[in-house]
Amino acid sequence: MNNTGVEKKRVLSLLQPTGVFTLGNYIGALRNFVPYQAEYECVFGIADLHSITVRQEPAALRKAILECYAMGMAAGIDPKRSAFFLQSHLSEHSQLAWILNCYTQFGELSRMTQFKDKSVKNPENINAGLFTYPCLMAADILLYQANYVPIGSDQNQHIEISRDIAERFNGAYSPTFVIPEGIIQKFGNRVMSLQDPTKKMSKSDTNKNAVVLMLDTKDEIVKKFKRAVTDSEARVFYGEGKDGINNLMEIYLCVTGKSFEEIEREFEGKGYGDFKEAVGEAVFAALEPIQSEYYRLIADKAYLEECYREGAERARPMARKTLSKVMKKIGFI
Ligand code: LTN
């Protein structure tokens, strides 16, 4: 309950410990965590169980999980206000995932585009976990009775299948799960490559100038934006056929809070050079405080441990409650 006596809606998001954080992760997800915490009751986690659908080197995985946790906190997740945990610390996720596997059809899992894409990319390891990934994600969401799940547009199908599974279970027994809704932000949902603005910015891009990392130095960030591919029109406005400029404008809008009109006015009569420089500076200004907080946190393993342990203890009663209901309804003794 908040101070108006109205129960707050619950937002849930899990982060994949991928090892690097791009500007896309920041603009698409992390930058919203502070405002979400102001408005909603929040549940955040690190999706370490999901990460083993591709082979991981143990030491590298351990490092990536901790770094991801520290980055979540650096971006503003407050472990005193939100439950912020490591997914594998709550066995309820795996338990509910198994159950949901049995309420999900082979056909619907085989239509998931992420499964099809990953199978093509990784033909030597098309494992069952990759196939049932959506059931584990549905378990993450449904365990906490989340109302809203912030997502990039590429995750829409995962929310749809989570809703389908929840409705199916509710229909077969009685209302058990809240039906979650995805929230897709208006801007910054798809940050594009700086070298090919028709492609999404990706950490695995072989061209290092295409992707800005959250831990890049000021010098690196400014340089990458200076080299960004644009067009030959030399006029800063949002329009068709201006993918490069549109992408830079959207990034600038997200990090400064200015509107497209304000940006167009600001750079009237100026060239792309000035604009690119301003975008680079503004991006660094947004990232700088997060970077320093990140380096402080990652050096304090004991504090991080205290936070994720406490996070799991905060999450556990919510997860247990849903799982017990589910088990009872199914007929387990
Ligand atoms: N599949 C998501 C990570 C993820 C997630 C979740 C997101 C796992 N479980 C639950 C929201 C809610 C991804 O790849 N980003």
Side-chain angles (χ1 to χ4, degrees):
M1 298 271 255
N2 62 16
N3 56 13
T4 58
V6 180
E7 201 151 328
K8 282 190 180 182
K9 299 272 191 194
R10 193 173 284 164
V11 160
L12 173 138
S13 181
L14 267 62
L15 300 167
Q16 283 256 55
T18 51
V20 273
F21 305 91
T22 67
L23 182 63
N25 298 131
Y26 174 67
I27 288 183
L30 296 162
R31 76 179 172 114
N32 295 313
F33 289 175
V34 170
Y36 288 148
Q37 282 176 130
E39 195 174 343
Y40 302 106
E41 188 191 322
C42 293
V43 175
F44 295 115
I46 307 300
D48 53 356
L49 295 173
H50 278 103
S51 71
I52 62 166
T53 52
V54 293
R55 200 63 75 230
Q56 303 280 349
E57 203 272 302
L61 179 60
R62 206 171 289 125
K63 186 163 172 279
I65 292 168
L66 213 56
E67 288 174 353
C68 192
Y69 193 88
M71 189 56 96
M73 277 178 62
I77 295 179
D78 176 355
K80 299 269 178 275
R81 288 169 81 185
S82 304
F84 186 28
F85 55 81
L86 308 183
Q87 186 190 27
S88 63
H89 287 185
L90 289 134
S91 54
E92 290 81 1
H93 289 252
S94 309
Q95 289 173 278
L96 183 61
W98 167 255
I99 293 172
L100 298 183
N101 273 329
C102 304
Y103 295 82
T104 309
Q105 297 302 304
F106 183 89
E108 52 187 341
L109 289 175
S110 31
R111 285 190 294 274
M112 297 300 287
T113 53
Q114 184 172 306
F115 172 69
K116 290 192 270 187
D117 293 347
K118 287 197 178 172
S119 311
V120 172
K121 274 196 206 140
N122 241 337
E124 74 296 338
N125 186 20
I126 307 177
N127 59 74
L130 196 63
F131 190 64
T132 64
Y133 182 115
C135 298
L136 178 59
M137 181 158 161
D140 298 337
I141 298 168
L142 302 180
L143 262 184
Y144 299 97
Q145 309 287 354
N147 303 95
Y148 302 118
V149 183
I151 44 161
S153 41
D154 58 327
Q155 292 287 308
N156 213 3
Q157 213 186 6
H158 282 121
I159 300 301
E160 286 307 314
I161 197 170
S162 300
R163 293 166 60 92
D164 291 344
I165 296 169
E167 275 165 3
R168 190 172 302 145
F169 192 95
N170 287 353
Y173 301 94
S174 56
T176 309
F177 298 122
V178 166
I179 308 299
E181 278 174 54
I183 27 182
I184 300 189
Q185 55 171 348
K186 190 156 175 223
F187 297 111
N189 188 354
R190 226 172 121 76
V191 175
M192 309 306 276
S193 154
L194 297 187
Q195 291 297 311
D196 176 1
T198 61
K199 266 187 3 197
K200 195 175 154 182
M201 183 181 282
S202 157
K203 67 176 170 87
S204 46
D205 204 309
T206 49
N207 183 345
K208 293 300 155 223
N209 285 322
V211 35
V212 173
L213 302 180
M214 285 184 72
L215 295 174
D216 276 348
T217 62
K218 180 174 188 182
D219 198 46
E220 286 167 323
I221 292 175
V222 169
K223 271 202 192 119
K224 287 177 181 178
F225 278 103
K226 273 195 186 148
R227 292 180 186 145
V229 169
T230 50
D231 54 74
S232 53
E233 196 167 13
R235 192 161 80 79
V236 177
F237 73 100
Y238 197 93
E240 214 170 304
K242 294 179 73 77
D243 295 332
I245 288 296
N246 294 349
N247 186 39
L248 296 183
M249 283 183 73
E250 195 160 331
I251 293 170
Y252 194 61
L253 174 148
C254 290
V255 295
T256 61
K258 293 175 185 170
S259 66
F260 284 143
E261 296 73 40
E262 285 171 308
I263 300 170
E264 285 167 12
R265 237 176 292 130
E266 182 178 351
F267 294 97
E268 220 175 85
K270 293 188 185 155
Y272 284 168
D274 292 333
F275 176 52
K276 289 179 182 180
E277 171 118 29
V279 181
E281 302 270 350
V283 165
F284 181 71
L287 294 179
E288 188 179 20
I290 299 175
Q291 292 185 354
S292 34
E293 183 63 0
Y294 171 81
Y295 290 119
R296 192 184 71 78
L297 287 165
I298 201 67
D300 193 349
K301 304 284 191 286
Y303 179 59
L304 291 174
E305 181 175 341
E306 194 184 305
C307 293
Y308 60 68
R309 278 180 190 275
E310 202 181 298
E313 290 329 307
R314 224 177 236 256
R316 205 175 312 278
M318 302 185 235
R320 281 250 48 103
K321 190 173 163 195
T322 304
L323 183 64
S324 330
K325 254 206 246 178
V326 166
M327 291 175 71
K328 212 187 260 163
K329 292 197 186 193
I330 290 174
F332 293 148
I333 295 174

